[in-house]
Amino acid sequence: MAEVLSRIRSALFTPGTAAARLRNAVTAGADVCIFDLEDSVPPGRVVEARETVRAAIDELGGRTPIWVRVHPAASHDMPLDLAALPLAKLQGIMLPKASHADDVSACHSAIVAAKGSTQLALIPIIESAAAVLNAGEIARSTGVFCVALGRFDLSADLGIDPDGGSPALSAARGAVVLASAAARIHPPLDSPWLKIKDLDGLGAAAERGRADGFGGMLLIHPSHVEMVNTVFSPTPEELAWAADILQSAGDATGDGQGAYTRNGQMVDEAIVKRARGILARANP
């Protein structure tokens, strides 16, 4: 899993019923393509979507990492989804509406039952108040690569406007980031921007997500990929700063120093750690 997935900035959703769009998705430049069997698929077309997604994975697997969003763990459709997929050609399974660690365990068990690799990445979506309160145990569950925030379902659960600046939603965002860091998994993926043509709004949302500690963003349209990849990548200035810090830290530690001054700034291990993180994000 580690060799295939390193840093995810952009994860592009595509409905599982849209064969042509699935083919186009892998050319959009997203770090991951998510073929969807859940919310974007009408209940009466789920069987059709499974076949369409299976055929697309057989055809396209290997061009870019592919995840599939299956149905929730509590649904009878989740094991049927997994049984229909060529799991060996996938990099991850996205699990919606994961409320607690038992949901992740159920998905993991269903993957094993479907003869899938135990190294397949799991990406639970935090979409309810209960999930936020259980984010720590979800993030620490076996097989979890990262978690994602579903702020629209979460906002509906809380009875708030998802764009209203609610302190509860801000707290949930912080909880998901902290749970991911504490579990030492990939930083979480932020919710998608729904206004397809509003690229200024997309950019602002991505900048906020990065500032809040998210590692990337879920996307619903190929036109959003380039901007999100740019926002969640280190800038040239950040890379130059990080390289300088690491070079100076090597010189300093070679002389047996601890904290020291570089260009008028105190540098200690926390600053060096941040510099290492910036350089690690340079090549997803």
Side-chain angles (χ1 to χ4, degrees):
M1 181 168 65
E3 291 76 19
V4 178
L5 301 168
S6 54
R7 304 295 301 187
I8 305 300
R9 304 163 298 177
S10 54
L12 176 63
F13 277 113
T14 304
T17 50
R21 290 175 61 185
L22 294 174
R23 293 189 188 95
N24 290 335
V26 299
T27 68
D31 293 329
V32 167
C33 290
I34 306 171
F35 293 176
D36 190 23
L37 294 176
E38 196 221 8
D39 275 354
S40 67
V41 177
R45 299 186 66 186
V46 170
V47 173
E48 171 196 341
R50 289 182 187 133
E51 176 57 29
T52 300
V53 167
R54 183 204 61 75
I57 295 168
D58 282 338
E59 175 186 347
L60 305 170
R63 297 193 192 180
T64 197
I66 296 173
W67 296 346
V68 173
R69 179 166 67 172
V70 297
H71 286 82
S75 168
H76 71 278
D77 280 311
M78 188 266 286
L80 297 177
D81 292 340
L82 292 169
L85 297 172
L87 297 178
K89 297 181 180 180
L90 293 178
Q91 279 68 49
I93 294 294
M94 177 165 272
L95 180 67
K97 300 174 179 62
S99 295
H100 41 71
D102 287 348
D103 291 332
V104 183
S105 297
C107 184
H108 189 269
S109 296
I111 289 171
V112 173
K115 297 183 171 58
S117 169
T118 56
Q119 295 301 306
L120 198 62
L122 295 180
I123 307 91
I125 311 179
I126 306 295
E127 302 184 75
S128 67
V132 172
L133 295 179
N134 293 326
E137 67 177 45
I138 291 171
R140 293 190 301 270
S141 296
T142 300
V144 172
F145 169 71
C146 73
V147 300
L149 178 66
R151 71 184 175 98
F152 301 104
D153 282 275
L154 174 59
S155 296
D157 192 33
L158 297 175
I160 61 173
D161 180 352
D163 299 313
S166 166
L169 189 54
S170 295
R173 292 172 65 82
V176 169
V177 170
L178 290 168
S180 299
R184 298 293 187 264
I185 60 174
H186 185 285
L189 301 177
D190 206 352
S191 302
W193 182 249
L194 301 186
K195 300 175 183 177
I196 293 173
K197 295 185 178 181
D198 181 8
L199 297 184
D200 289 339
L202 168 68
E207 291 283 2
R208 180 191 173 188
R210 186 186 182 194
D212 284 351
F214 287 82
M217 195 168 179
L218 302 173
L219 309 178
I220 60 165
H221 197 271
S223 65
H224 292 181
V225 170
E226 182 177 2
M227 178 173 289
V228 167
N229 280 350
T230 298
V231 170
F232 283 98
S233 296
T235 65
E237 293 77 15
E238 288 173 323
L239 292 172
W241 173 85
D244 179 69
I245 289 294
L246 292 187
Q247 181 180 20
S248 69
D251 295 341
T253 54
D255 293 334
Q257 299 180 36
Y260 63 97
T261 301
R262 179 70 171 176
N263 297 326
Q265 175 188 2
M266 189 200 80
V267 177
D268 61 7
E269 181 54 33
I271 302 301
V272 174
K273 182 178 180 181
R274 177 170 179 261
R276 291 194 192 105
I278 288 172
L279 293 179
R281 292 196 299 273
N283 297 297

